[in-house]
Amino acid sequence: MTGTDRPFILFAHSAYRLGEAYEARQGRCPHVHVWSKADLLPRLGEADVLCLSGFWDNSLLDRMPQVRFIQLCSAGYDHFDIEALRARGIRLANAAGANANAVSEHAFALLLALTRRMAEARDNQVKRHWRGMISELDGREDELAGKTMLVVGLGRIGRRIARIAKAFDMRVLGIRRTPGTLPEVDHIGGPGDLRALLAGTDVLVLACPLSAETRGLIDAEMLTAMKPSAYLVNVARGPVVDEPALISALAEHRIAGAGIDVTAVEPLDATSPLWSLDTVVLTPHTAGETRRHEANVIELLIGNLGRLERGEPLLNGVV
């Protein structure tokens, strides 16, 4: 993608206002935004660049002869055939880091909703019920200071979660593929250390990518290793957790609760017990969906178009 011709950008998303954000940034390339997969398909033949999330399936590869670059609106890219992209000379970059602030803040919103019993407070508000003081210690709200958080995945989101945890006077442990040191983490272990570290963990936060290594990572064995007083917060991907095992652990009060932004199948089936468990705070995969999201993605896109033109490595380049 070099020369004086400006590439045609095809933005595709059912909700994110990517075309408007590009125009607000005074983007100079011709472009169009489509709001459905049905509208995406007939425009694929025109596109040099795709910026999308959610509409992708690998059958599209045979319908986009000119596309040379795909900018994702999200961090996850496990649904792309990486080798097929590489064989066709198509570059791919994800949006890792674009939502680091949003997702890390959401992780704490879920955690605080659990420890401060905000769902119960909201229910009481709707019923106009003023709850009295509680004598039983286990029935009261809890504090984060002094507790131990274990963050699985120490990318930009995981590291910011760790920094926020430090502001709450928490001890922070981490898991990543290459153990080492980070200023915001007290101890970093490798994947093989997960079970041992869970035994002393009060809050487990999942902020890792979905991969062959992380799929089903938190299974029945790992849930058994957790304290009955511990919380799980998942802002990674639903399949990182064995969902039936988590439901059993919650229903049997083998862990204290879960803050969940992602589920194994989305939308979550209406019959799932996760909807009704009173120790669960559930959001519909909205951790990264803030008023700044489109602007952050467009900043990455414009930066990467410049890098492609100059022959430089992509920001968040996957292929």
Side-chain angles (χ1 to χ4, degrees), residues 85-148:
L85 291 174
R86 187 173 284 118
R88 288 167 168 79
I90 299 173
R91 307 293 302 277
L92 174 70
N94 71 2
N99 59 1
N101 290 349
V103 176
S104 55
E105 290 169 15
H106 197 87
F108 272 86
L110 292 171
L111 177 56
L112 289 167
L114 290 165
T115 59
R116 305 304 303 183
R117 300 179 62 160
M118 289 301 176
E120 177 189 328
R122 182 67 178 185
D123 291 344
N124 285 339
Q125 179 182 342
V126 171
K127 294 183 290 187
R128 299 172 184 257
H129 170 67
W130 189 273
R131 191 199 75 187
M133 290 185 288
I134 295 175
S135 178
E136 180 61 42
L137 293 180
D138 289 344
R140 296 181 190 172
E141 288 84 348
D142 205 355
E143 302 176 22
L144 295 180
K147 294 191 183 300
T148 296

Side-chain angles (χ1 to χ4, degrees), residues 221-242:
E221 178 187 358
M222 295 300 175
L223 290 163
T224 300
M226 294 175 67
K227 298 178 181 180
S229 58
Y231 295 100
L232 181 149
V233 174
N234 189 4
V235 290
R237 286 293 183 270
V240 173
V241 177
D242 180 335

Side-chain angles (χ1 to χ4, degrees), residues 6-315:
R6 292 174 180 163
F8 182 81
I9 306 172
L10 181 54
F11 296 105
H13 201 281
S14 61
Y16 297 158
R17 310 176 79 86
L18 298 164
E20 291 178 21
Y22 183 70
E23 291 161 10
R25 184 61 170 70
Q26 299 183 331
R28 296 178 297 167
C29 295
H31 61 276
V32 68
H33 185 122
V34 296
W35 300 91
S36 69
K37 190 166 184 178
D39 290 333
L40 168 68
L41 297 176
R43 305 300 299 260
L44 277 173
E46 308 169 56
D48 302 299
V49 174
L50 288 182
C51 182
L52 81 172
S53 176
F55 293 154
W56 179 262
D57 69 73
N58 289 309
S59 70
L60 300 183
L61 283 167
D62 294 325
R63 305 181 66 160
M64 40 186 249
Q66 296 179 190
V67 171
R68 289 295 172 263
F69 174 52
I70 301 173
Q71 174 68 63
L72 296 183
C73 305
S74 60
Y77 56 88
D78 50 284
H79 51 308
F80 280 82
D81 186 333
I82 299 302
E83 292 309 314
L85 291 174
R86 187 173 284 118
R88 288 167 168 79
I90 299 173
R91 307 293 302 277
L92 174 70
N94 71 2
N99 59 1
N101 290 349
V103 176
S104 55
E105 290 169 15
H106 197 87
F108 272 86
L110 292 171
L111 177 56
L112 289 167
L114 290 165
T115 59
R116 305 304 303 183
R117 300 179 62 160
M118 289 301 176
E120 177 189 328
R122 182 67 178 185
D123 291 344
N124 285 339
Q125 179 182 342
V126 171
K127 294 183 290 187
R128 299 172 184 257
H129 170 67
W130 189 273
R131 191 199 75 187
M133 290 185 288
I134 295 175
S135 178
E136 180 61 42
L137 293 180
D138 289 344
R140 296 181 190 172
E141 288 84 348
D142 205 355
E143 302 176 22
L144 295 180
K147 294 191 183 300
T148 296
M149 175 181 284
L150 174 60
V151 182
V152 178
L154 291 170
R156 278 166 280 196
I157 292 171
R159 291 187 66 175
R160 189 162 191 267
I161 289 170
R163 289 196 296 274
I164 296 171
K166 282 295 186 182
F168 277 93
D169 293 327
M170 301 182 76
R171 178 171 179 255
V172 183
L173 311 177
I175 294 285
R176 68 176 181 181
R177 272 184 274 179
T178 53
T181 60
L182 290 171
E184 56 269 86
V185 183
D186 296 296
H187 171 76
I188 299 174
D193 301 313
L194 175 59
R195 196 181 194 286
L197 292 178
L198 281 173
T201 293
D202 299 298
V203 179
L204 169 63
V205 180
L206 304 175
C208 53
L210 178 62
S211 65
E213 292 76 24
T214 62
R215 185 177 294 273
L217 179 68
I218 306 302
D219 56 11
E221 178 187 358
M222 295 300 175
L223 290 163
T224 300
M226 294 175 67
K227 298 178 181 180
S229 58
Y231 295 100
L232 181 149
V233 174
N234 189 4
V235 290
R237 286 293 183 270
V240 173
V241 177
D242 180 335
E243 205 163 271
L246 174 62
I247 290 169
S248 294
L250 289 163
E252 296 165 13
H253 302 288
R254 288 186 278 114
I255 63 172
I260 301 169
D261 185 56
V262 287
T263 55
V265 176
E266 297 176 1
L268 181 63
D269 190 273
T271 63
S272 171
L274 290 174
W275 289 109
S276 55
L277 285 166
D278 59 8
T279 54
V280 171
V281 176
L282 177 69
T283 54
H285 203 151
T286 54
E289 191 175 292
T290 69
R291 299 174 191 183
R292 287 191 53 83
H293 181 72
E294 286 95 333
N296 292 338
V297 170
I298 294 304
E299 197 69 26
L300 281 173
L301 169 68
I302 291 174
N304 275 333
L305 290 176
R307 285 169 175 265
L308 284 168
E309 189 171 350
R310 296 188 298 271
E312 298 171 1
L314 293 173
L315 294 165

